[in-house]
Amino acid sequence: MAHSDQTVYRRSTPVVTSWYDPESDENISEAIVEAIANAEGVCETEVASMYETIDLDAVNRLFASYGKSSDSVLLNFNFENWDVFVRADGRIRVCDTARVTDPEPVFQDSAV
């Protein structure tokens, strides 16, 4: 996790940037799976099961405990060839670890 006064850097190429609405009925884990599916170009049901790698229930509980206005909470994990960044304000960025880049702030821009 990082605080808003700290910059977190990525070394992989962003493929998908999406937003999760904490006010919606959707769980953050569903939004993460959807973002990974978009990065892979497949349906959500075609994404490999994350439960062996990531405790999605814990992710849901973590982000449920923070308000939408908090951008100081950042979760980062690797899943297959994806580097996934999730911010408590609802921003999700999926980067391709096979496409290495010079270090850049994770959420520096709104491209992709």
Side-chain angles (χ1 to χ4, degrees):
M1 288 187 212
H3 298 287
S4 59
D5 60 341
Q6 296 177 334
T7 302
V8 176
Y9 289 85
R10 60 174 170 76
R11 292 189 47 99
S12 50
T13 302
V15 177
V16 169
T17 300
S18 62
W19 289 89
Y20 160 73
D21 181 3
E23 306 291 323
S24 74
D25 292 334
E26 181 181 42
N27 288 325
I28 186 76
S29 61
E30 294 169 348
I32 293 168
V33 171
E34 181 179 337
I36 292 171
N38 287 336
E40 293 181 357
V42 299
C43 296
E44 290 91 357
T45 58
E46 296 178 58
V47 173
S49 176
M50 297 177 69
Y51 282 101
E52 294 177 19
T53 309
I54 306 296
D55 185 342
L56 294 176
D57 292 330
V59 172
N60 289 333
R61 287 190 305 274
L62 173 68
F63 283 94
S65 67
Y66 290 95
K68 182 177 180 177
S69 62
S70 177
D71 66 352
S72 64
V73 177
L74 176 69
L75 173 69
N76 171 232
F77 63 89
N78 293 89
F79 176 71
E80 296 188 339
N81 65 312
W82 305 112
D83 201 3
V84 181
F85 299 88
V86 184
R87 211 164 57 180
D89 68 352
R91 194 162 184 193
I92 301 169
R93 178 159 271 180
V94 179
C95 300
D96 184 349
T97 60
R99 295 169 46 199
V100 178
T101 64
D102 289 332
E104 292 184 18
V106 173
F107 293 109
Q108 177 180 4
D109 59 42
S110 59
V112 179

